[in-house]
Amino acid sequence: RQNMIGRAIAGAALAALCAGCVTQSARRVTESERAQIAIAAAERWIALVDAGSYDESWKSAAEYFRGAVPRAQWAQALRAGRAPLGKAIYRRLRSAVYQTSMPGAPDGEYVTLQFDTRFERKEAAVETIIAMRDSDGAWRVSGYFVR
């Protein structure tokens, strides 16, 4: 009888351990899936910027972004900083990092994406796009930088 109780305890411990393994595995998959959704959202958004649709890129950006950067200021910044580079000829995802906090921003879900990009007038650039999960659950862009 004690042997059966011992086996039951060992079995319960093993089940709990395995459940923890599954939970950790599911978490990784979930973050990966979230990153894929954020990548797709960022690619749709950067297509607007590539097309020169700066007002549309602002409209489709994250609520947080729209609250921090006025539309006219955004369009002016892109005309001054992005337009001189010319058309994007090549863009390849370098990295995608899922995070739950960003400096100077509210806690939430973020994916920081870096792309190796070649423009007409800039041979090698790194574009950084920060996607965030907005209040409605959709992934939208909340930051963009080119260096």
Side-chain angles (χ1 to χ4, degrees):
R1 178 168 165 98
Q2 274 188 326
N3 197 12
M4 285 178 52
I5 294 172
R7 277 192 229 147
I9 292 171
L14 182 60
L17 181 63
C18 288
C21 295
V22 170
T23 301
Q24 286 297 342
S25 176
R27 178 179 165 84
R28 275 187 233 113
V29 170
T30 300
E31 287 179 9
S32 176
E33 288 172 348
R34 288 178 183 165
Q36 291 304 313
I37 294 167
I39 291 166
E43 287 174 341
R44 286 189 303 273
W45 181 86
I46 198 66
L48 293 171
V49 174
D50 287 344
S53 299
Y54 302 152
D55 282 347
E56 286 302 312
S57 72
W58 183 87
K59 286 179 195 174
S60 68
E63 186 179 320
Y64 177 76
F65 177 89
R66 292 190 319 268
V69 181
R71 183 186 317 191
Q73 182 182 347
W74 175 244
Q76 180 183 11
L78 285 177
R79 279 192 290 278
R82 171 63 195 275
L85 302 176
K87 291 183 181 181
I89 297 168
Y90 169 85
R91 180 178 287 123
R92 182 183 60 83
L93 182 65
R94 175 193 281 193
S95 64
V97 179
Y98 177 84
Q99 300 161 258
T100 55
S101 67
M102 294 290 289
D107 287 347
E109 292 184 81
Y110 298 88
V111 177
T112 301
L113 308 161
Q114 288 198 318
F115 294 88
D116 291 318
T117 307
R118 179 183 308 153
F119 294 98
E120 285 178 314
R121 292 183 287 280
K122 184 160 180 71
E123 184 68 24
V126 175
E127 289 179 295
T128 301
I129 300 175
I130 300 167
M132 73 180 292
R133 194 163 183 193
D134 227 338
S135 59
D136 65 358
W139 286 88
R140 295 187 178 88
V141 170
S142 63
Y144 175 67
F145 313 93
V146 180
R147 63 172 177 84

